[in-house]
Amino acid sequence: MGAVSNVDRALSALRQMIFSGVLTPGSDHLETELAEQLGMSRTPVREAALMLQAQGLVEVRPRRGIRVLPVSAQDMRDIYDILTELESLAAARAAEAAYSKADLATLAAAIRDMDAALSEDDLRAWADADDRFHRELVRLGGNARLAMIVSVMRDQVRRARATTLFIRPKPSKSNADHRTVYQAIAERDPKRAHDTHHAHRRAARVMLVELLEKHQFHGL
C-alpha cells in the first residue's frame, strides 16, 4: 500500500512542479535528482514519470533521465480545434437540460471567483476559477464520453496557459463571455450557449497560439 501511495505522491508533486513552472518546458532531469527533491526513492519517481509520459507531459529516456516536453503552438492549434467543438456541444446540451438556478451554482461561483481574481490582479486565482468553469460546463453537458476526451487534453491546455499567463492581455473579455454562456444556459438557449462559447474558444486559440509562437521564437 505504501508503494502505491508513494507513486501517487510523486505523480501529484511532479505534476504540480510542471504546471507551476518549477520544471520548465524542455528541461532535463535525472530520476535521482527528482527523487532527492521529493524525499523518496527512485522507483516511485520512475513509475510516476511513466504515467506522466502517457499523459504527454514528459519523455522518459533510458539512461538520460526525464525531459519535460515543451508546449507546441501546433499542439495547441490541434487541441483547441477539438476542445472548441466539444465544449460548445456541452454548452448547448447544458442549455437543453433545463437546469435550475441551484444546478448552476458551481458555474456561477466560478464566474464570481474569476471576477474577484481579476479585480485583485490575481492571475493564478483567475486561471484556477477559469479551469473550474470549463470543467463544470463539460460536466453539465451530461456526456461522459465527451468529458473523458476533454480531460485527456486539459493538461496540455493548463501548461500552455501557465506558460503564457503573465504575458497575455488581461482576460476581461473571457469573463464576459462566460457570463453570457451562463445566462444562455439558465435561459435554456442552446444556440446562444453554443455560439458564444465557440467564439470564445476560437479567440482563445488565436491568442494562445500567437503568444506561444512569439515565446518560442525568442527562446524564452
Side-chain angles (χ1 to χ4, degrees):
M1 187 73 182
V4 174
S5 63
N6 273 346
V7 172
D8 289 342
R9 190 160 67 88
L11 181 64
S12 177
L14 291 173
R15 281 172 60 86
Q16 177 58 30
M17 290 164 78
I18 290 169
F19 291 129
S20 66
V22 173
L23 301 180
T24 57
S27 61
D28 294 287
H29 307 272
L30 296 174
E31 289 175 1
T32 48
E33 107 191 19
L34 292 173
E36 190 174 321
Q37 285 183 48
L38 299 179
M40 59 178 65
S41 69
R42 287 176 58 184
T43 300
V45 171
R46 184 182 305 113
E47 290 185 35
L50 290 171
M51 295 166 81
L52 291 171
Q53 181 172 251
Q55 295 168 11
L57 297 178
V58 306
E59 178 187 4
V60 180
R61 299 180 295 177
R63 297 178 299 281
R64 293 174 62 194
I66 298 161
R67 181 169 189 258
V68 181
L69 292 176
V71 182
S72 153
Q74 186 57 50
D75 283 346
M76 282 304 101
R77 286 190 189 92
D78 295 345
I79 287 170
Y80 263 84
D81 281 346
I82 299 166
L83 274 183
T84 298
E85 301 305 324
L86 294 184
E87 285 192 357
S88 299
L89 175 60
R93 292 288 181 266
E96 292 168 356
Y99 285 121
S100 68
K101 191 172 182 179
D103 294 327
L104 302 178
T106 300
L107 205 63
I111 295 170
R112 286 196 301 272
D113 289 347
M114 289 170 69
D115 287 339
L118 269 198
S119 70
E120 297 170 10
D121 286 325
D122 187 342
L123 290 178
R124 290 195 191 281
W126 174 84
D128 178 68
D130 180 67
D131 190 52
R132 281 187 279 125
F133 176 91
H134 286 275
R135 285 176 184 271
E136 181 65 4
L137 180 67
V138 169
R139 189 190 71 80
L140 291 169
N143 185 323
R145 288 178 176 82
L146 183 153
M148 182 177 67
I149 295 167
V150 169
S151 71
V152 170
M153 295 178 287
R154 187 172 280 125
D155 280 347
Q156 295 292 6
V157 172
R158 286 180 63 200
R159 291 187 66 219
R161 187 168 57 189
T163 303
T164 58
L165 187 58
F166 296 102
I167 55 175
R168 62 164 289 166
K170 191 170 182 178
S172 304
K173 176 70 163 58
S174 181
N175 287 20
D177 288 345
H178 288 168
R179 279 192 295 276
T180 302
V181 171
Y182 170 85
Q183 289 162 1
I185 293 171
E187 293 166 10
R188 303 174 188 180
D189 186 341
K191 187 177 188 307
R192 184 156 61 107
H194 176 282
D195 293 353
T196 301
H197 194 74
H198 198 277
H200 165 70
R201 275 307 207 185
R202 294 298 289 179
R205 176 189 185 272
V206 170
M207 181 272 297
L208 197 59
V209 166
E210 285 180 355
L211 284 175
L212 284 172
E213 287 179 336
K214 182 178 180 181
H215 183 82
Q216 290 171 354
F217 177 77
H218 288 296
L220 297 176

